[in-house]
Amino acid sequence: MLSLLLLVLAVYVAVCALVFFRQRSMIYYPQAFEGGTILTLGGGARVGVTLREQPGPGAVIYFGGNAEAVGYSLPELQAAFPGQTLYLMHYRGYGATPGEPTEAGLFADAQALYEHVRALHPQVTVVGRSLGSGIATRLASVKTVDRLVLLAPYDSMAGAASHHFPWLPVRLLLRDRYESVSYAAKVNAPTTIFAAERDEVIPRASSEALYRSFRPGLATFHVVSGVGHNDISLRSLQLH
């Protein structure tokens, strides 16, 4: 019996070690995309974007999901935000953007892109989908934005991951934590949250916990009926 327990413990420790060292390959799924532009921004950051320019004061910065080639989301964003200049950020390692994705690296790129956009546009809306909701929420907590929009968001990466791996000490293992729940209370922008009714990736409780973390009256919460995590559409924005 002792030998069996030691074997089980050894296997469990080995799995934990594997998750710890391979976790970023489980979080990020870089996608190829042939279009886009590389911007050289403050501090020498080289950030890939899909850019659609429009006359006028308004701009939208979009942060996509972990397996999203954001350039393909351009038509939906154009429909949702007509007449506004669109900046869709390609994460490090995605499209032609150099580097490897990490939470610190993606947030640094997000801040650099924001400063570039704010210098050109007095009105900035930030949109984050799934993984990108963590970047968007944190950005809105430290920068002035006019509106924050979150699709299929989570309260924290650990909270969402724990739902799928309750037998792992996820909170101890994670390096990229995306603690949106810690940043939400610092957001001053009107915020709209969309949760997918049939989301199989982000538990509804996780999205609702994030919603409750915003200051009272600042955020609104909508459930998009009949859709899952991967087919919740940016067209939902046109209805609200």
Side-chain angles (χ1 to χ4, degrees), residues 102-128:
T102 66
E103 180 182 8
L106 300 191
F107 185 63
D109 291 347
Q111 290 190 97
L113 179 58
Y114 169 87
E115 296 297 347
H116 172 79
V117 173
R118 175 58 80 180
L120 298 173
H121 303 275
Q123 299 172 7
V124 177
T125 294
V126 173
V127 181

Side-chain angles (χ1 to χ4, degrees), residues 63-97:
F63 305 107
N66 69 334
E68 183 178 350
V70 294
Y72 295 119
S73 298
L74 182 61
E76 288 187 358
L77 282 164
Q78 285 182 287
F81 298 98
Q84 299 197 54
T85 297
L86 304 176
Y87 297 82
L88 288 64
M89 190 177 95
H90 296 262
Y91 300 147
R92 297 183 184 194
Y94 291 61
T97 304

Side-chain angles (χ1 to χ4, degrees), residues 151-227:
L151 288 89
Y154 46 85
D155 57 343
S156 69
M157 184 66 70
S162 294
H163 174 79
H164 296 284
F165 305 100
W167 46 274
L168 280 175
V170 173
R171 297 183 187 279
L172 296 177
L173 296 174
L174 273 181
R175 288 183 283 177
D176 290 0
R177 307 189 68 84
Y178 293 100
E179 292 278 354
S180 295
V181 71
S182 299
Y183 300 111
K186 302 175 184 177
V187 173
N188 293 313
T191 300
T192 309
I193 297 173
F194 296 93
E197 180 185 33
R198 301 175 182 171
D199 200 317
E200 68 284 5
V201 177
I202 305 298
R204 176 79 63 80
S206 180
S207 297
E208 291 175 343
L210 175 64
Y211 166 64
R212 292 192 299 270
S213 299
F214 286 90
R215 289 187 290 106
L218 190 69
T220 57
F221 188 91
H222 307 276
V223 176
V224 183
S225 62
V227 300

